[in-house]
Amino acid sequence: MTERPPHGTARPGGRTARTREAVLAAALEELGVHGYAALTVDRIAQRSGVHAATIRRRWRSVQGVIIDLLAQHSGSLPTPDTGDLRQDLHELARAIADYHASPRSRNFIEATIVAAAHNPQVSDIVRDAFTARTEQVTCIVTRAVARGELSPDVDAREVIAALSAPFYYRLLVLRGTADDRLVHTSAEAAYHAARGGVFVPPPSGP
Amino acid sequence: MTERPPHGTARPGGRTARTREAVLAAALEELGVHGYAALTVDRIAQRSGVHAATIRRRWRSVQGVIIDLLAQHSGSLPTPDTGDLRQDLHELARAIADYHASPRSRNFIEATIVAAAHNPQVSDIVRDAFTARTEQVTCIVTRAVARGELSPDVDAREVIAALSAPFYYRLLVLRGTADDRLVHTSAEAAYHAARGGVFVPPPSGP
């Protein structure tokens, strides 16, 4: 136990990987049942069957576990490819709504925002994780450009951010859950704005 | 000191009002300088010159102070009335950006979201406060309807939420600050979507 490998270097499926899976799954369960406010290393230990001392040694704190959960979750967003921008945006909005539909996911998102508010390092990690997720799905926009649906000058990240923002506003600020209506309006609003040229940056001087 | 009037019942400008002002101002200052993570009743006491025991008796906790700050802040959003929907939306976006420009406001918003995550009662209060603020500025939309710029069936709250969401997404999720570009895109996107009929609910059955 004195030679502790850093995250991800142990062989997959080995004890280190199994421990990580158990701890992250337990943390997510706890978030779903009791929320972030009640999340402690001891509760994660109890639910996962992994010793609290082991969790503290490897993740240091609840925040460390949240950061690792974020790493595990990023990349889980599907990227629609229907051959039609409008349809792609609707499917992406649906995927976000489906993800937000589970209390576990909602509590996890809220936990990351809370952890970010408490810690500048976590804040950077949250920003990087969401920026990377946005980047992943920008190919929806680049494909639409290739098909001639949008101007080549369009800022793809702005389109994706415009579609995503209403879901986080609903969740974090209006304290509600996403519904079919929000899927419709967020996808349609992003589509109309994109087609209307809103996300084409102004020409910059030489 | 045993006959403690509830909030807002003491005469304006009296000792109760002065104490409240000092405590809320100190809390906001602390949020601006050290952020929510470092906010304690003792720090508020130190900065305001009001005894910690007095703060605990009246507001019970840091969360109680945040709730009172929220009550003080709601209603501070101006409502543009330029006679033109597009211009009104741009001015509203500018007002939100200006508010988010100060670290004090950003930390305050973040503090309310964190407090809401920790406490269902605070969550309800945050939801009500933001819903009320949204309601306040919906007259931008109803005036546009009266001028014939939008369909009478438009959901005014959806328009305002669409305009506001990108600012909270930028702040809370992307961990960045609002800039001129965000003012432009959020106002234009809301305008294009509203004009495109996105926020008109589908006709419901009899």
Side-chain angles (χ1 to χ4, degrees):
Chain A
M1 292 302 276
T2 49
E3 278 194 313
R4 183 167 50 91
H7 293 179
T9 60
R11 67 188 189 285
R15 192 182 357 158
T16 306
R18 284 199 309 275
T19 300
R20 179 177 181 235
E21 205 164 308
V23 165
L24 296 190
L28 211 51
E29 285 283 328
E30 279 292 322
L31 282 173
V33 178
H34 301 292
Y36 181 74
L39 193 64
T40 62
V41 167
D42 287 332
R43 290 194 96 126
I44 299 171
Q46 212 162 16
R47 191 179 280 268
S48 65
V50 175
H51 283 298
T54 305
I55 297 173
R56 287 212 178 79
R57 200 165 48 233
R58 186 153 158 197
W59 287 273
R60 295 196 55 212
S61 65
V62 163
Q63 280 182 6
V65 177
I66 298 288
I67 290 171
D68 204 12
L69 265 174
L70 207 54
Q72 190 190 48
H73 274 239
S74 63
S76 65
L77 204 62
T79 307
D81 185 10
T82 64
D84 178 75
L85 173 64
R86 194 174 205 159
Q87 189 61 28
D88 279 356
L89 293 175
H90 277 268
E91 294 207 358
L92 182 61
R94 170 60 59 199
I96 299 173
D98 286 349
Y99 181 70
H100 285 208
S102 107
R104 206 148 74 158
S105 305
R106 285 201 301 277
N107 283 333
F108 171 59
I109 293 165
E110 202 159 61
T112 63
I113 303 303
V114 170
H118 283 114
N119 185 323
Q121 276 173 291
V122 179
S123 175
D124 290 348
I125 289 162
V126 169
R127 186 197 58 219
D128 293 349
F130 277 95
T131 305
R133 279 172 75 153
T134 301
E135 201 66 55
Q136 264 171 20
V137 288
T138 50
C139 52
I140 288 176
V141 178
T142 50
R143 284 192 209 112
V145 169
R147 286 190 302 264
E149 288 189 82
L150 292 177
S151 155
D153 298 328
V154 67
D155 186 320
R157 281 170 301 183
E158 286 186 354
V159 178
I160 304 302
L163 179 129
S164 309
F167 292 96
Y168 292 87
Y169 185 72
R170 173 72 61 92
L171 174 64
L172 297 167
V173 177
L174 297 184
R175 322 293 310 165
T177 49
D179 51 20
D180 289 348
R181 177 74 189 151
L182 192 65
V183 170
H184 177 82
T185 55
S186 66
E188 284 293 297
Y191 177 74
H192 275 79
R195 293 278 292 171
V198 171
F199 304 119
V200 173
S204 55
Chain B
M1 292 302 277
T2 49
E3 278 194 314
R4 183 167 51 89
H7 293 176
T9 60
R11 67 187 191 286
R15 193 179 2 157
T16 306
R18 283 200 310 273
T19 300
R20 178 179 181 233
E21 204 165 309
V23 165
L24 297 189
L28 210 51
E29 286 283 326
E30 279 293 322
L31 283 172
V33 179
H34 302 291
Y36 181 73
L39 192 65
T40 62
V41 167
D42 287 333
R43 289 194 96 127
I44 298 171
Q46 212 162 17
R47 192 179 280 268
S48 66
V50 176
H51 283 297
T54 306
I55 297 173
R56 286 210 179 80
R57 200 166 48 233
R58 184 152 159 198
W59 287 273
R60 294 195 56 213
S61 64
V62 163
Q63 280 182 7
V65 176
I66 298 287
I67 290 171
D68 203 12
L69 265 174
L70 208 54
Q72 190 191 48
H73 275 239
S74 62
S76 66
L77 203 61
T79 307
D81 186 10
T82 64
D84 178 74
L85 173 63
R86 194 173 204 162
Q87 188 60 27
D88 279 356
L89 293 175
H90 276 268
E91 294 207 357
L92 182 61
R94 169 59 59 198
I96 299 173
D98 286 349
Y99 181 69
H100 285 208
S102 106
R104 207 149 73 158
S105 306
R106 286 201 301 278
N107 284 333
F108 170 59
I109 293 165
E110 202 159 59
T112 63
I113 304 303
V114 169
H118 282 115
N119 186 323
Q121 275 174 293
V122 179
S123 176
D124 290 348
I125 290 161
V126 168
R127 185 197 60 220
D128 293 349
F130 278 95
T131 304
R133 279 172 73 152
T134 301
E135 201 66 55
Q136 264 172 21
V137 288
T138 50
C139 53
I140 287 177
V141 178
T142 48
R143 283 191 209 115
V145 168
R147 286 190 302 263
E149 288 190 82
L150 292 177
S151 155
D153 298 328
V154 68
D155 186 321
R157 280 170 302 182
E158 286 187 353
V159 178
I160 302 302
L163 179 130
S164 309
F167 292 96
Y168 292 87
Y169 185 72
R170 174 71 62 89
L171 174 64
L172 297 167
V173 177
L174 298 183
R175 321 294 309 165
T177 48
D179 51 21
D180 289 348
R181 177 74 189 151
L182 192 66
V183 170
H184 178 81
T185 55
S186 65
E188 284 293 298
Y191 178 74
H192 276 78
R195 292 279 291 172
V198 171
F199 304 118
V200 174
S204 55

